[in-house]
């Protein structure tokens, strides 16, 4: 298998470089990537140090490292280009044409993507995250009036990470309610959800995948048995159909994909 070292370089957190770089790297099967993130490269001196590190890695491995950069300062970016590496810059190819089209010079200011520029947005993100955490297991059902969405499904079907992602990424107030065996046997909606039927959204998952997930949590238990898992998934899907609750199959989907599909099918506002 081909092995290559990849550097993600940024003048701030490195999140943008990682996200965009990973999207490209996933297109290449048969290559093993060793990934190194170097954030906060805010001066030419720091850039020179990183160039030395990249060159050293290249010498030791005998192949050029691949470098993804989101470096906004031209002098820092130019320094990085001196490295003996395959360098891909995510900003310069787009900023120059945009400046020409808009007839406005860009700020060339580091960190504008992820900085806390809007205090109200930051507070909203924290508030939505706290809401998701407070309404994570359905036992207390705190303040469902504030909820944009209430995700329901069997245990370990992906509700919690999806709610937290939607809160942190979009400022969505997302609660989740795990369906219990009593709920599933009754075939009726839990009493505290009846008044919020329009906010409900179901998550389902293929039994084989759910059993695998539960086995990692409680191996050789009734909770993770094939019979129990099959019953819960079948009963949950029947409940969704009976009460006309929209549902998606989360099997094999990332949290980002699940959240995006849910938002695409609802009129929930993205606040961030």
């Amino acid at each position: 298998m081909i092995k290559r070292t990849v550097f993600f370089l940024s003048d701030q957190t490195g999140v943008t470089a990682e996200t965009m770089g990973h999207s490209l790297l996933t297109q290449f099967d048969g290559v093993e990537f060793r990934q190194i993130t170097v954030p906060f490269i805010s001066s030419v001196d720091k850039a020179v140090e990183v160039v030395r590190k990249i060159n050293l890695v290249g010498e030791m491995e005998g192949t050029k490292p691949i470098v993804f950069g989101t470096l906004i300062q031209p002098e820092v970016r130019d320094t990085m280009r001196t490295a003996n590496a395959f360098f891909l810059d995510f900003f310069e190819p787009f900023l120059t044409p945009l400046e020409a089209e808009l007839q406005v010079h860009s700020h060339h200011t580091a960190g504008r993507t992820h900085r806390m520029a809007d205090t109200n947005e930051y507070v909203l993100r924290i508030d939505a995250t706290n809401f998701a955490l407070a309404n994570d297991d359905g036992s207390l059902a705190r303040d469902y009036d504030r909820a944009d969405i209430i995700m329901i499904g069997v245990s370990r079907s992906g509700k919690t990470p999806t709610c937290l992602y939607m809160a942190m990424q979009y400022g969505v107030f997302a609660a989740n309610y795990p369906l219990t065996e009593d709920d599933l046997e009754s075939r009726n909606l839990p009493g505290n959800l009846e008044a919020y039927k329009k906010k409900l959204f179901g998550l389902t998952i293929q039994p084989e995948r759910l059993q695998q997930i539960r086995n990692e949590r409680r191996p050789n238990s009734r909770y993770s048995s094939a019979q129990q898992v099959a019953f819960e998934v079948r009963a949950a899907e029947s409940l969704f159909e009976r009460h006309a609750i929209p549902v998606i199959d989360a099997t094999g989907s990332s949290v980002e994909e699940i959240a995006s599909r849910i938002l695409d099918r609802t009129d929930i506002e993205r606040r961030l």
Side-chain angles (χ1 to χ4, degrees), residues 24 172 195:
L24 295 174
V172 169

Side-chain angles (χ1 to χ4, degrees), residues 20-133:
M20 298 176 73
H22 287 158
S23 296
L24 295 174
L25 296 179
T26 56
Q27 301 301 312
F28 297 92
D29 296 328
V31 183
E32 181 181 331
F33 296 107
R34 183 171 74 99
Q35 302 176 21
I36 301 171
T37 300
V38 185
F40 305 112
I41 307 172
S42 56
S43 69
V44 171
D45 288 343
K46 290 183 179 179
V48 170
E49 293 177 9
V50 177
V51 167
R52 291 197 189 104
K53 181 176 182 179
I54 292 172
N55 289 342
L56 179 60
V57 169
E59 291 172 5
M60 292 175 60
E61 297 181 348
T63 56
K64 287 184 178 181
I66 298 169
V67 176
F68 294 109
T70 52
L71 301 163
I72 199 67
Q73 298 179 51
E75 61 274 17
V76 172
R77 188 168 56 238
D78 290 342
T79 301
M80 294 310 313
R81 290 187 186 281
T82 66
N84 186 23
F86 179 71
F87 183 73
L88 290 173
D89 175 62
F90 287 128
F91 278 169
E92 188 177 32
F94 303 101
L95 281 178
T96 300
L98 274 172
E99 287 177 337
E101 173 65 23
L102 298 172
Q103 297 186 4
V104 175
H105 287 291
S106 60
H107 286 279
H108 289 275
T109 302
R112 295 179 69 89
T113 304
H114 297 287
R115 72 178 184 178
M116 197 174 72
D118 189 327
T119 303
N120 291 332
E121 285 192 1
Y122 183 77
V123 171
L124 174 62
R125 190 190 307 272
I126 297 302
D127 199 14
T129 302
N130 285 336
F131 180 86
L133 291 170

